[in-house]
């Protein structure tokens, strides 16, 4: 096998030496356009997991690297002159130049040909004379660009500028420091990468300084050269640098770019490392991912019967891992982009928020690493001793919620003529008994034309009102501290469809009713019915339907009312520019698109009892080009808050069928986080929140006030009570109904859990 590697970074070098080590008969050549000792950046962080893979694959390389690494356990967070330390994290780093030297030496020892100072031939040319071409040519990969039609890359440029510098002394921890200046907030990420040596008597540390683009401009960095930037940055972070100078290495301010490729291979050409993917430096090292790519690629080439199978196996193995890492990296990157929104948090909450920003470190995980730090954070937040954050109460107007868990609205499609029956009594009653502070109904429709399907619940008749009164009475009698909320809405252009399990969003085969919407745009062109555009009389009539239903909800005994302005239903349709093309006072600018939803909100708030809270569910992004943006969401949330909304229920998407959501664990929570910490209004976070650990983390970090969970409550109606039992909590935040108290401990599973008998000395 003849192998050509384009790019002599750590990933390309490591792939070369592994392929050669596994089969010495292979002819392996690395093409690097720079000199052997040219390197940009300073330190490289590798996880214990990655080092374990290196040790298993090549003990010689591992032993050499291990002898030159610096290790530490602490993370320091400096906020407004105060340093808080969290321990138990475990890091290992070394000089990037040292890493390259070790890999160069090992490649030469194994017989890999290293070609420096000459650009590699194009990948397509190499592919004609080699069996395998590995494109490890970095984030600006020429190979990826040349074959973009196959790899189908997307590159997103983010909102911060950063510069990579170094200090000639070794820190004793990973260090984050925040500088609040007259121009805005800047942040420092720093860590040691070399201990004392003859060449560097005090060791060395990597120092990355980052700022939002507008802050970078305002601070004048756009007009500074490398030296001036380094001098100015050193002055901004006295707690970390203590007067030490900073130096660069062809260091330039740049914006981070996230690279994603749909495919990583094309014939016998394969992408590796930054050419295939990038992940923000704030969660670790691109080098780590590249080295892991190299390990996987070499293993797949060895294990599979042919190259096509090997490259397919490599992609199948690495793509899910990288996607998960990129989701965490995006969450971390976004947190730093929104850093100024967290600056007012108290010190421990700020530090906890920073440590858990990627969602990979959680409340429970951090408690295992550093229980004293978590205890101090909980004490600062006023959490009673022995009480998980999720079981602290929250007050909205005159309603006190006993904990922070909400049963999210879930359409059941089990009503008949809009009347909820025994199914709703059991479904909602069981979940209210299951410990959640607030159980929400599905979207309850304000009129027959406002239904999504024939099975949707309504609140426009006396019979429906009586049926809901029965449900509310059961909840209040059997679980007195539980609250029941009603979500009120109108389907708009997404109505008159089959039940979900018969064909979601498919029109009814017969018996369709006419639809209403802001604009005459079908939800699925060529499939869905074209709705009628609401005129003045229609707008007034629908508004009155909302207020009439709200009056009925109050009489039925609901504790909270939520106005559904999300997911492409009628009021959401006014908010999104993709669904509102009106040219009158209700279309055009965001202020105009907000006008009708706010009119409905005001009318409903007027008739809803003053002491009872009212929330609004919004879609904070349409996940589609030209739709609602994060900035729009802030303005929408602010408008509803100014009109009296007690909390914003922050969801995303479902507005247009061509959306492309970025699915993943807790993927919608950053939108709630941003609204809460920018506007200072309470929020309900939703979106693949599946564990009590997630709820504890979000609440303690101040990213959400309440967490709404849907599927976990379908899987387990007593999810909240079980979460309390698993955490050893038995306080007022999770009272077990008296008939269920005997089940408040998890029953033993069987003999396998018992201690094993001792059979030998």
């Amino acid at each position: 096998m003849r192998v050509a590697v384009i790019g002599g970074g750590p990933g390309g070098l490591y792939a070369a030496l592994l392929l050669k080590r596994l089969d010495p008969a292979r002819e392996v050549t690395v093409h690097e356009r720079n000199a052997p000792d040219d390197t940009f950046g300073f330190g490289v962080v590798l996880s214990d997991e990655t080092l374990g893979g290196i040790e298993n694959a090549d003990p010689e390389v591992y032993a050499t690297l291990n002898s030159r690494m610096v290790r530490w356990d602490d993370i320091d967070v400096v906020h407004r002159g105060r340093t808080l330390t969290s321990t138990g994290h475990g890091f290992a780093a070394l000089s990037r130049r040292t890493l390259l030297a070790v890999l160069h030496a090992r490649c030469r020892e194994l017989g890999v040909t290293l070609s420096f100072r000459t650009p590699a031939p194009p990948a397509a040319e190499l592919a004609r004379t080699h069996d395998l071409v590995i494109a490890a040519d970095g984030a600006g990969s020429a190979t990826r660009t040349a074959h973009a039609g196959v790899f189908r890359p997307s590159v997103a440029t983010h909102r911060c500028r950063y510069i990579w510098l170094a200090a000639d002394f070794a820190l004793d921890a990973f260090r984050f420091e925040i500088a609040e200046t007259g121009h805005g907030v800047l942040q420092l990420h720093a860590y040691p990468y070399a201990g004392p040596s003859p060449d560097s008597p005090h060791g060395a540390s990597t120092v990355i300084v980052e700022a939002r683009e507008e802050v970078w401009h305002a601070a004048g960095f756009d007009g500074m050269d490398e030296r001036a930037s380094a001098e100015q940055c050193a002055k901004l972070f006295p707690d970390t640098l203590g007067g030490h100078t900073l130096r660069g290495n062809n260091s330039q301010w740049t914006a981070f770019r996230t690279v994603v490729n749909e495919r990583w291979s094309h014939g016998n050409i394969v992408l590796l490392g930054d050419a295939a993917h990038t992940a923000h430096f704030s969660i670790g090292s691109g080098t780590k991912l590249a080295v892991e790519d190299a390990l996987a690629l070499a293993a797949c080439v060895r294990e599979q019967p042919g190259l096509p199978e090997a490259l397919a196996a490599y992609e199948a193995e690495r793509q899910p891992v990288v996607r998960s890492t990129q989701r965490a990296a995006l969450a971390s990157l976004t947190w730093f982009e929104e850093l100024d929104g967290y600056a007012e948090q108290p010190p421990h909450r700020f530090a906890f928020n920073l440590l858990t920003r990627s969602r990979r470190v959680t409340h429970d995980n951090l408690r295992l690493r550093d229980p004293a730090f978590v205890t101090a954070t909980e004490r600062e937040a006023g959490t009673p001793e022995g009480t998980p954050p999720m079981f602290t109460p929250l007050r909205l107007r005159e309603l006190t919620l006993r904990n922070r868990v909400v049963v999210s609205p879930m359409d059941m499609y089990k009503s008949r003529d809009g009347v909820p029956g025994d199914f709703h009594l059991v479904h909602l009653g069981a979940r209210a008994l299951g410990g959640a502070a607030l159980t929400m109904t599905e979207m309850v429709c304000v009129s027959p034309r406002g239904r999504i399907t024939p099975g949707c619940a309504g609140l426009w008749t006396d019979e429906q009102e009586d049926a809901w009164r029965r449900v509310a009475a059961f909840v209040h009698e059997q679980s007195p501290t539980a609250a029941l909320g009603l979500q009120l809405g109108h389907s708009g252009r997404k109505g008159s469809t089959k039940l979900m399990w018969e064909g979601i969003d498919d029109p009814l085969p017969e018996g369709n009713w006419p639809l209403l919407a802001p604009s005459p745009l079908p939800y699925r062109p060529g499939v869905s019915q074209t709705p009628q555009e609401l005129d003045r009389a229609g707008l007034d009539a629908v508004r009155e339907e909302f207020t009439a239903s709200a009056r009925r909800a109050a009489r039925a005994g609901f504790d909270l009312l939520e106005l559904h302005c999300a997911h492409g239903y009628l009021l959401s349709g006014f908010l999104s520019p993709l669904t509102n093309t009106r040219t009158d006072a209700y279309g055009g600018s965001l202020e105009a698109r907000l006008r009708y939803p706010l009119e409905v909100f005001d009318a409903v708030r007027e008739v809803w009892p003053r002491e009872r809270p009212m929330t609004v569910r919004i879609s904070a992004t349409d996940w589609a080009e030209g739709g609602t943006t994060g900035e729009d969401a802030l303005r929408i949330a602010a408008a509803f808050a100014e009109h009296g909304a007690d909390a914003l229920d922050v969801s995303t998407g479902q507005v247009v069928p061509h959306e492309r959501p970025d699915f993943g664990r807790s993927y919608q929570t950053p939108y709630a986080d941003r609204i809460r910490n920018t506007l200072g209004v309470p929020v309900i976070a939703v979106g693949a929140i599946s564990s009590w650990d997630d709820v504890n983390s979000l609440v303690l970090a101040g990213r959400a006030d309440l967490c709404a969970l849907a599927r976990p409550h379908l899987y387990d109606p007593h999810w909240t009570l079980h979460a309390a039992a698993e955490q050893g909590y038995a306080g007022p935040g999770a009272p077990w109904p008296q008939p269920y108290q005997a089940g408040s401990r998890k029953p033993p599973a069987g003999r396998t859990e018992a201690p094993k008998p001792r059979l030998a000395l």
Side-chain angles (χ1 to χ4, degrees):
M1 177 182 277
R2 299 188 72 213
V3 180
V5 180
I6 304 173
L13 290 168
Y14 197 53
L17 74 85
L18 286 177
L19 288 167
K20 186 69 172 177
R21 183 176 186 273
L22 291 172
D23 186 352
R26 290 175 179 146
E27 179 185 319
V28 183
T29 303
V30 177
H31 300 267
E32 171 54 51
R33 63 183 178 180
N34 295 306
D37 56 352
D38 285 348
T39 183
F40 308 103
F42 300 95
V44 172
V45 179
L46 296 175
S47 68
D48 287 340
E49 182 182 36
T50 304
L51 289 170
I54 293 173
E55 182 178 19
N56 182 64
D58 194 324
E60 292 86 349
V61 167
Y62 170 79
T64 304
L65 294 178
N66 194 46
S67 67
R68 303 187 187 188
M69 297 193 103
V70 293
R71 296 178 179 273
W72 70 98
D73 292 320
D74 293 351
I75 297 176
D76 289 344
V77 179
V78 184
H79 179 239
R80 295 186 170 175
R82 183 173 178 183
T83 301
L84 297 178
T85 300
S86 175
T87 193
H89 298 279
F91 296 98
L94 79 165
S95 161
R96 182 178 174 87
R97 184 165 289 172
T98 298
L99 174 61
L100 291 176
V102 170
L103 296 177
H104 289 159
R106 185 61 172 150
C107 280
R108 292 190 181 98
E109 180 183 337
L110 293 169
V112 173
T113 301
L114 302 178
S115 174
F116 295 103
R117 299 186 179 89
T118 304
E125 181 179 327
L126 290 169
R128 289 192 288 270
T129 56
H130 291 76
D131 301 290
L132 174 62
V133 178
I134 300 172
D137 48 348
S141 170
T143 305
R144 184 182 68 233
T145 301
H147 301 281
V150 177
F151 295 130
R152 295 191 291 277
S154 63
V155 181
T157 302
H158 300 286
R159 295 185 290 171
C160 282
R161 291 274 185 150
Y162 69 96
I163 188 169
W164 209 285
L165 303 167
D168 290 324
F169 73 102
L171 291 161
D172 57 3
F174 212 121
R175 189 92 165 176
F176 294 98
E177 184 176 346
I178 311 306
E180 295 177 81
T181 73
H183 307 294
V185 176
L186 297 93
Q187 60 262 20
L188 170 144
H189 314 244
Y191 58 87
Y193 69 84
S197 68
D199 294 334
S200 181
H202 302 291
S205 299
T206 289
V207 176
I208 305 170
V209 178
E210 187 180 23
R212 282 278 288 264
E213 179 92 14
E214 62 271 21
V215 176
W216 174 75
H217 277 295
F221 284 112
D222 54 342
M224 296 183 192
D225 61 14
E226 178 186 73
R227 181 175 177 179
S229 289
E231 290 175 351
Q232 182 62 22
C233 287
K235 297 174 184 176
L236 290 171
F237 302 100
D239 289 278
T240 295
L241 299 176
H244 288 83
T245 59
L246 293 173
R247 57 183 170 85
N249 177 15
N250 195 25
S251 302
Q252 299 177 5
W253 290 93
T254 188
F256 189 83
R257 299 187 303 158
T258 296
V259 174
V260 176
N261 286 278
E262 290 187 25
R263 291 190 58 188
W264 292 7
S265 62
H266 169 42
N268 61 343
I269 302 170
V270 64
L271 302 178
L272 183 146
D274 283 356
H277 49 73
T278 59
H280 194 249
F281 54 80
S282 61
I283 71 159
S285 170
T287 301
K288 171 186 180 298
L289 288 177
V291 167
E292 291 172 354
D293 284 354
L295 282 163
L297 179 60
C300 290
V301 169
R302 182 184 192 183
E303 295 162 357
Q304 298 299 321
L307 188 64
E309 296 87 349
L311 297 186
Y314 163 67
E315 285 198 52
E317 177 179 335
R318 289 298 295 161
Q319 285 225 25
V321 175
V322 168
R323 281 197 296 269
S324 176
T325 301
Q326 288 186 312
R327 283 194 295 270
L330 182 60
S332 179
L333 177 156
T334 303
W335 193 91
F336 283 109
E337 286 184 339
E338 303 298 335
L339 181 60
D340 58 345
Y342 306 116
E344 296 297 328
Q345 289 187 325
H348 273 91
R349 168 165 279 184
F350 179 86
F352 179 88
N353 197 353
L354 187 151
L355 294 171
T356 59
R357 67 195 180 279
S358 72
R359 304 192 289 272
R360 289 196 158 183
V361 176
T362 62
H363 174 269
D364 199 46
N365 179 266
L366 191 54
R367 185 171 56 186
L368 289 174
R369 300 182 190 203
D370 192 348
F373 179 85
V374 173
T375 298
T377 305
E378 291 175 343
R379 188 181 301 118
E380 179 191 77
T383 305
E385 186 175 353
T387 301
M390 66 184 291
F391 293 115
T392 54
L394 178 71
R395 186 179 179 88
L396 297 174
R397 296 201 180 215
E398 297 302 311
L399 176 66
T400 297
L401 299 174
R402 65 192 182 192
N403 60 52
R404 304 306 182 94
V405 180
V406 178
V407 177
S408 196
M410 293 174 279
D411 288 320
M412 293 289 107
Y413 310 106
K414 296 293 286 184
S415 295
R416 184 167 296 180
D417 297 324
V419 180
D422 288 347
F423 178 90
H424 288 83
L425 179 69
V426 174
H427 167 68
L428 295 171
R431 280 146 189 85
L433 289 172
L438 174 63
T439 300
M440 294 296 301
T441 69
E442 62 200 84
M443 184 178 88
V444 174
C445 306
V446 298
S447 68
R449 291 178 68 171
R451 292 173 297 163
I452 308 167
T453 75
C456 287
L459 193 47
W460 65 82
T461 70
D462 291 344
E463 184 182 6
Q464 293 161 355
E465 181 182 327
D466 290 342
W468 284 120
R469 183 178 293 107
R470 176 178 176 234
V471 174
F474 177 88
V475 169
H476 292 144
E477 290 168 9
Q478 301 302 325
S479 188
T481 60
L484 185 66
L486 178 94
Q487 187 185 71
L488 199 60
H490 187 297
S491 63
R493 70 177 188 157
K494 294 178 74 175
S496 193
T497 63
K498 297 178 181 178
L499 303 184
M500 179 181 66
W501 45 86
E502 294 175 351
I504 190 168
D505 296 327
D506 288 344
L508 291 170
E510 57 184 19
N512 286 279
W513 54 86
L515 303 180
L516 302 172
S519 302
L521 303 172
Y523 179 65
R524 295 163 64 194
V527 176
S528 303
Q529 181 187 151
T530 299
Q532 174 189 340
E533 180 174 298
L534 281 163
D535 58 15
R536 180 70 265 170
L539 293 169
D540 293 343
V542 169
R543 186 184 66 240
E544 292 307 312
E545 290 170 352
F546 271 94
T547 57
S549 293
R551 289 189 180 95
R552 291 184 180 278
R555 293 195 297 264
F558 285 98
D559 303 293
L560 176 148
L561 187 145
E562 178 166 284
L563 191 65
H564 201 334
C565 296
H567 299 171
Y569 298 122
L570 182 71
L571 299 181
S572 169
F574 277 90
L575 294 173
S576 173
L578 298 178
T579 52
N580 182 346
T581 59
R582 300 173 74 102
T583 57
D584 63 2
Y586 295 101
S589 69
L590 180 56
E591 288 72 21
R593 300 197 307 273
L594 267 162
R595 183 170 284 116
Y596 186 65
L598 289 173
E599 286 180 4
V600 173
F601 178 90
D602 290 342
V604 171
R605 180 69 266 185
E606 181 67 26
V607 302
W608 184 244
R610 187 170 300 276
E611 71 278 5
R612 300 187 209 179
M614 189 170 162
T615 64
V616 179
R617 173 167 278 205
I618 65 170
S619 286
T621 176
D622 293 341
W623 300 112
E625 186 176 353
T628 298
T629 66
E631 296 299 322
D632 293 337
L634 283 175
R635 294 164 62 190
I636 291 168
F640 280 114
E642 289 167 4
H643 281 246
D646 298 291
L648 275 298
D649 186 354
V650 186
S651 185
T652 64
Q654 301 181 51
V655 174
V656 291
H658 60 277
E659 67 176 7
R660 297 190 65 182
D662 188 13
F663 289 120
R665 174 169 149 258
S666 304
Y667 72 104
Q668 297 180 85
T669 60
Y671 293 93
D673 179 354
R674 187 179 184 206
I675 287 170
R676 184 188 192 278
N677 286 289
T678 301
L679 303 178
V681 300
V683 297
I684 305 170
V686 306
I689 303 170
S690 57
S691 73
W692 49 258
D693 193 18
D694 287 337
V695 178
N696 283 329
S697 301
L698 289 165
V699 170
L700 188 58
R703 297 187 199 129
D705 299 277
L706 294 163
C707 293
L709 298 90
R711 287 178 177 85
H713 282 113
L714 294 179
Y715 180 77
D716 179 5
H718 292 81
W719 184 89
T720 307
L721 292 180
H722 292 155
E726 289 168 12
Q727 296 176 79
Y729 174 73
W736 282 75
Q738 288 181 333
Y740 290 175
Q741 283 181 354
S744 60
R745 293 183 184 179
K746 186 177 181 180
R751 180 173 176 171
T752 55
E753 292 186 353
K756 300 290 189 296
R758 184 182 293 277
L759 301 178
L761 291 176

